[in-house]
């Protein structure tokens, strides 16, 4: 006696046909995700650029001070004064630059939170629209 083989392809096709899928929702979700990723990347790139500019400026200023520090002096006391001036400059500018870095981070954080809140709203709206559409389709199917 031959065993009859089940046609799984036909069975899956029947199942998928019974549950219609709205590909527009997937497309919209993908577009929303891509847009969010683009905006988040822009925030990170902007912060990295500002941070690099600040770091470069600080390095140039420090190197200029080191050049002044390395110049020959007439008196031994002048070396001590130059070193003291350099240390004072470093202490003062370190605080200023750390505050500037903190401002860059705060702006990036605020922008990220704003983007995430907007994305959450967008995803919520998309989800609600998908649910309403599915409910409508289910009601039509049951009638």
């Amino acid at each position: 006696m031959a065993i009859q083989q089940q046609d799984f392809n036909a069975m899956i096709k029947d199942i998928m046909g019974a549950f219609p899928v709205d590909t527009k929702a997937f497309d919209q979700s993908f577009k929303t995700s891509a847009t969010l990723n683009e905006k988040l990347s822009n925030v990170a790139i902007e912060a990295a650029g500002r941070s690099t500019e600040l770091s470069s400026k600080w390095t140039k200023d420090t190197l200029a001070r080191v050049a002044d520090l390395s110049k020959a002096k007439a008196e031994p006391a002048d070396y001590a004064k130059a070193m003291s001036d350099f240390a004072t400059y470093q202490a003062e500018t370190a605080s200023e630059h750390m505050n500037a870095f903190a401002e860059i981070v705060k702006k990036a954080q605020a922008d990220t939170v704003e983007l995430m809140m907007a994305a959450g709203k967008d995803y919520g709206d998309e989800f609600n629209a998908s649910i309403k559409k599915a409910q409508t389709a289910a009601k039509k199917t049951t009638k």
Side-chain angles (χ1 to χ4, degrees):
M1 178 153 119
I3 299 176
Q4 183 177 3
Q5 294 281 341
Q6 291 183 341
D7 185 3
F8 285 107
N9 287 337
M11 190 169 66
I12 295 296
K13 189 176 182 179
D14 290 343
I15 290 171
M16 295 304 286
F19 298 103
V21 176
D22 182 14
T23 58
K24 291 178 187 175
F26 289 115
D27 290 343
Q28 186 59 38
S29 179
F30 177 79
K31 288 175 185 176
T32 302
S33 294
T35 302
L36 174 63
N37 287 335
E38 178 185 2
K39 290 176 182 178
L40 289 173
S41 294
N42 287 338
V43 168
I45 290 168
E46 180 185 337
R50 290 179 61 208
S51 175
T52 301
E53 289 172 9
L54 179 61
S55 182
S56 177
K57 182 185 177 304
W58 190 8
T59 300
K60 287 179 183 179
D61 291 347
T62 300
L63 290 174
R65 294 285 180 148
V66 168
D68 289 342
L69 182 66
S70 65
K71 291 180 181 174
K73 314 285 190 254
E75 296 292 322
D78 292 340
Y79 287 101
K81 181 175 178 349
M83 185 58 86
S84 175
D85 290 346
F86 180 76
T88 301
Y89 163 78
Q90 283 297 88
E92 290 171 357
T93 60
S95 174
E96 292 171 12
H97 286 94
M98 288 299 120
N99 286 335
F101 281 120
E103 289 301 317
I104 292 168
V105 171
K106 281 176 25 181
K107 182 180 181 330
Q109 183 181 24
D111 291 349
T112 301
V113 167
E114 183 180 321
L115 287 172
M116 295 307 287
M117 295 294 288
K121 183 184 178 308
D122 290 346
Y123 282 124
D125 292 346
E126 288 177 19
F127 180 73
N128 287 336
S130 299
I131 294 299
K132 287 178 184 176
K133 192 170 185 177
Q135 287 174 340
T136 303
K139 285 179 185 177
K140 287 180 183 177
T141 302
T142 55
K143 288 181 181 179

